[in-house]
């Protein structure tokens, strides 16, 4: 089999949508990109076929007579292209059927095959056009669900992650050479200043911890949060969902037991993508449909990142509310919200004594007139640890975060090695391990197999 980078690959690089898309792009990359394109194109007049030029023409059928589509063709010769290989981009008309026809015509040629997910990006990395952190940032940029998430991904694309990790890795490499020199030339060099080395390693550890901390916060921006609104019937769960989504998403009536099914609404609060779950009001009922709805409410309790328990201020905090509160899993952050603050409040308030660390101070709102909405949103974001996101400029993804944590683990082992007065060889083992973990983040130390695993999660055409 040919070396994978010797093969020419092709895929649709733009999003596919039926009946939509003024244009779409079919990308071809590899040594035969030019030859294949010329075979299927008819280029009228005297146009210049040269790198970084655009030519106008038609994709033709097998006989070269009938036109399949009218297109613009972008020519990018190696190494000045995204993949570093010869790349031809055929900008054709959009719509599902048309683009697929153009791609099929390309694939009908010998020596070209359909690209695997992320294969263009993988080649870009292998050919040194971008580093691994930038390739992953592109994937995050495409998947961004909010402006803030896109902005964070862009920092990665600008090389921000590489710029943070590289100096830390360099630092460790320097320490490693210090130690190795002592192992190799023990007699010729002054004794190792172990305290100094350990303090340097601690600095690296602190740098990594900070990155992990920011990653945890930043991931909220990428992944978003599931927030379940629960409460007794008629407390105003659906009204609150409608207010936060800015539309009449859920049916609201004065009839207890209106909502019978889980209802989702995707909203963005201060840059954080949030999936709100409206649930059926929980009570004892004999109605089979409502029962099933209540079952689903209980399920939603288990999967939510935060549970918002709503009660009716005009009725006051009741034993049923307390019973409901006790059903929420202990480790899920909970926000107690008193709704209908526009009505005369009952003296039965949420008892302060029952507050634990996972229950936040109660909030009073009116889903009817919007009173307390801002305080509610702030409290909600605080409850999920997403309130203080403005300072974050960079966020490692899960893979990078795990590797940073592994590096910290290795550095901690060195601390122990030192305390146990073990020989210097033991220091180098863990130090090398830490260096390798950081190298895997940036792609300086990755195997082809690992790259395959990373890029297989990318979308097709990227
Ligand atoms: N005065 C006042 N009425 C409200 C407020 N929020 C909701 N309501 C009213 O309370 C009633 C119930 O509201 P819903 O939003 O349907 O309540 P729910 O919790 O979804 O009820 P179920 O789906 O039956 O569990 C409706 O008549 C709403 O207009 C509020 O803040 N103030
Ligand atoms: Mg409802």
């Amino acid at each position: 089999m040919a070396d994978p980078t010797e093969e020419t690959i092709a895929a649709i690089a733009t999003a596919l949508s039926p009946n939509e898309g003024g244009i779409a792009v079919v990308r071809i990359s590899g040594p035969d990109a030019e030859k294949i394109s010329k075979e299927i194109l008819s280029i009228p007049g005297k146009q210049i076929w040269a790198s970084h030029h655009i030519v106008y023409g038609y994709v033709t059928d097998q006989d070269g007579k009938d036109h399949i589509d009218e297109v613009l063709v972008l020519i990018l010769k190696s190494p000045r292209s995204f993949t570093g290989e010869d790349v031809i981009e055929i900008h054709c008309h959009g719509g599902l059927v048309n683009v697929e026809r153009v791609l099929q015509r390309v694939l009908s040629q010998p020596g070209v095959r359909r690209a695997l997910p992320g294969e263009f990006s993988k080649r870009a990395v292998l050919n040194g056009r971008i580093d691994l952190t930038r390739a992953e940032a592109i994937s995050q940029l495409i998947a961004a669900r909010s402006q803030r998430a896109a902005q964070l991904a862009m920092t990665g694309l600008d090389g921000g992650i590489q710029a943070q990790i590289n100096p830390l890795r360099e630092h460790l490499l320097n320490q490693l050479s210090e130690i190795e020199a002592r192992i190799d030339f023990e007699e010729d060099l002054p004794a190792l200043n172990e305290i100094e080395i350990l303090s340097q390693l601690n600095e690296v550890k602190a740098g990594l911890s900070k990155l992990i901390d920011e990653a945890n916060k930043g991931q909220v921006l990428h992944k978003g949060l599931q927030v379940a609104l629960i409460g007794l019937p008629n407390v105003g769960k659906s009204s609150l969902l409608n207010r936060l989504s800015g539309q009449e998403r859920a049916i609201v009536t004065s009839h207890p037991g209106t909502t019978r099914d889980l209802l989702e609404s995707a909203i963005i609060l201060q840059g954080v993508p949030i999936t709100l779950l409206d649930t059926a009001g929980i009570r004892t009922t004999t109605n089979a449909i409502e029962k099933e709805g209540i079952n689903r409410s209980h399920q939603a309790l288990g999967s939510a990142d935060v549970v918002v328990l709503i009660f009716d201020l005009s009725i006051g905090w009741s034993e049923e509310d307390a019973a409901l509160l006790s059903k929420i899993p202990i480790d899920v952050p909970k926000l107690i919200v008193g709704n209908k603050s526009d009505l005369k409040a009952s003296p039965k308030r949420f008892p302060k004594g029952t507050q634990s660390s996972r229950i936040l101070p109660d909030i009073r709102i009116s889903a009817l007139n919007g009173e307390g909405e801002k305080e509610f949103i702030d409290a909600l974001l605080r409850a999920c640890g997403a309130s203080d996101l403005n300072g974050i400029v960079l966020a490692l993804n899960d893979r990078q975060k795990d590797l940073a944590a592994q590096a910290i683990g290795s550095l901690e082992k060195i601390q122990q090695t030192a305390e146990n007065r073990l020989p210097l060889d033991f220091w180098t083992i863990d130090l090398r391990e830490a260096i390798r973990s950081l190298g895997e983040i940036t792609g300086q130390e990755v195997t082809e197999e690992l790259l395959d695993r990373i890029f297989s999660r990318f979308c097709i055409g990227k």
Side-chain angles (χ1 to χ4, degrees):
M1 204 188 92
D3 174 30
T5 50
E6 296 282 295
E7 286 178 299
T8 298
I9 52 173
I12 299 165
T14 40
L16 282 177
S17 175
N19 316 320
E20 274 179 43
I23 63 160
V25 176
V26 171
R27 178 149 62 184
I28 314 168
S29 180
D32 291 337
E34 240 185 298
K35 192 179 106 207
I36 289 161
S37 307
K38 284 181 172 161
E39 207 57 49
I40 62 163
L41 287 167
S42 150
I43 312 281
K46 289 198 180 86
Q47 300 182 55
I48 304 169
W49 184 282
S51 189
H52 294 75
H53 276 64
I54 294 171
V55 297
Y56 162 83
Y58 299 92
V59 174
T60 58
D61 72 356
Q62 229 150 342
D63 309 323
K65 280 206 247 52
D66 285 340
H67 294 165
I68 289 177
D69 195 9
E70 185 185 26
V71 296
L72 286 173
V73 181
L74 176 57
I75 304 145
L76 301 157
K77 291 212 184 181
S78 171
R80 291 174 58 216
S81 72
F82 176 62
T83 57
E85 304 170 336
D86 281 351
V87 168
I88 301 289
E89 284 186 6
I90 302 179
H91 294 229
C92 58
H93 289 107
L96 280 183
V97 175
N98 184 59
V99 195
E100 190 57 34
R101 254 158 62 97
V102 172
L103 177 65
Q104 283 307 336
R105 184 73 185 103
V106 172
L107 293 175
S108 70
Q109 295 302 299
V112 55
R113 65 165 170 81
R114 213 180 261 271
L116 301 170
E119 198 169 10
F120 293 109
S121 302
K122 182 182 156 194
R123 290 186 177 194
V125 170
L126 286 174
N127 292 328
R129 293 295 290 173
I130 51 173
D131 70 76
L132 187 55
T133 65
R134 284 179 173 84
E136 290 184 289
I138 297 174
S139 179
Q140 286 196 311
L141 185 63
I142 294 169
R145 287 163 63 194
S146 76
Q147 299 271 358
R148 276 292 275 132
Q151 202 185 345
L152 269 187
M154 208 45 223
T155 314
L157 190 53
D158 284 339
I161 292 173
Q162 178 92 335
Q164 293 281 332
I165 299 291
N166 265 350
L168 298 178
R169 185 166 173 272
E170 285 294 319
H171 216 61
L172 296 183
L173 281 167
N174 289 339
Q175 307 302 326
L176 179 65
S177 63
E178 276 285 312
I179 298 171
E180 285 191 326
R182 295 311 188 294
I183 296 172
D184 296 340
F185 313 103
E186 207 180 345
E187 303 83 48
D188 312 330
L189 291 167
L192 192 69
N193 186 343
E194 291 186 6
I195 294 175
E196 173 61 21
I197 295 232
L198 288 175
S199 111
Q200 301 265 351
L201 297 183
N202 260 335
E203 255 174 53
V204 173
K205 224 172 70 184
L208 291 171
S209 296
K210 185 163 169 285
L211 286 175
I212 291 179
D213 196 38
E214 294 201 348
N216 286 334
K217 291 184 185 162
Q219 275 181 12
V220 165
L221 289 168
H222 280 299
K223 292 187 178 159
L225 295 165
Q226 289 257 1
V227 175
L229 306 176
I230 72 149
L232 303 178
N234 231 25
V235 294
K237 300 176 292 298
S238 301
S239 304
L240 183 60
L241 176 100
N242 286 349
R243 170 161 285 278
L244 292 171
S245 0
Q247 52 176 315
E248 297 303 309
R249 187 81 178 75
I251 300 171
V252 167
T253 74
S254 58
H255 202 82
T258 304
T259 307
R260 298 285 175 91
D261 206 348
L262 288 187
L263 199 75
E264 275 191 22
S265 180
I267 58 169
I268 308 276
L269 294 180
Q270 295 175 18
V272 181
I274 290 188
T275 308
L276 277 181
L277 280 176
D278 183 16
T279 62
I282 295 176
R283 63 170 171 182
T284 318
T285 175
T286 49
N287 182 303
I289 301 171
E290 196 180 348
K291 257 190 184 160
E292 178 54 29
I294 293 172
N295 277 343
R296 292 181 188 193
S297 300
H298 283 297
Q299 282 165 16
L301 284 182
S303 63
D305 295 303
V306 182
V307 172
V308 177
L309 174 59
I310 304 172
F311 72 101
D312 188 331
L313 288 169
S314 68
I315 294 176
W317 182 258
S318 66
E319 269 173 29
E320 287 95 329
D321 291 310
L324 202 49
L325 177 60
S326 68
K327 287 192 184 129
I328 307 174
I330 201 120
D331 50 343
V332 178
K334 318 160 185 52
L335 198 61
I336 314 287
V337 173
N339 185 34
K340 310 197 186 179
S341 65
D342 54 292
L343 298 179
K344 187 172 178 305
S346 147
K348 286 186 281 171
R349 315 188 104 220
F350 175 66
K352 291 267 178 284
T354 55
Q355 292 189 17
S356 79
S357 62
R358 290 312 241 172
I359 302 179
L360 292 122
D362 50 325
I363 302 276
R364 300 159 61 84
I365 56 161
S366 165
L368 197 67
N369 66 19
E371 199 184 335
E373 187 180 348
K374 192 183 170 306
E375 290 77 5
F376 167 69
I377 291 173
D378 287 347
L380 180 62
L381 292 176
R382 243 190 342 257
C384 6
S387 58
D388 170 31
L389 296 174
N390 285 339
I392 301 172
V393 288
L394 182 103
L396 306 183
N397 63 25
D398 279 342
R399 184 189 78 85
Q400 297 162 338
K401 199 179 75 174
D402 289 348
L403 287 164
Q406 277 174 30
I408 290 180
S410 306
L411 294 176
E412 276 166 356
K413 273 197 206 150
I414 300 178
Q415 203 87 36
Q416 279 180 0
T417 304
E419 278 165 23
N420 296 338
R421 315 296 318 150
L422 293 174
L424 286 180
D425 294 292
F426 286 87
W427 293 48
T428 61
I429 295 171
D430 293 319
L431 199 45
R432 269 181 214 286
E433 211 30 50
I435 292 166
R436 195 190 51 74
S437 299
L438 298 189
E440 268 192 36
I441 295 182
T442 56
Q444 281 147 309
E445 291 190 52
V446 284
T447 57
E448 176 104 18
E449 192 193 339
L450 180 65
L451 282 182
D452 282 342
R453 197 141 35 93
I454 294 169
F455 286 109
S456 65
R457 290 196 286 264
F458 277 43
C459 54
I460 291 184
K462 185 60 245 161

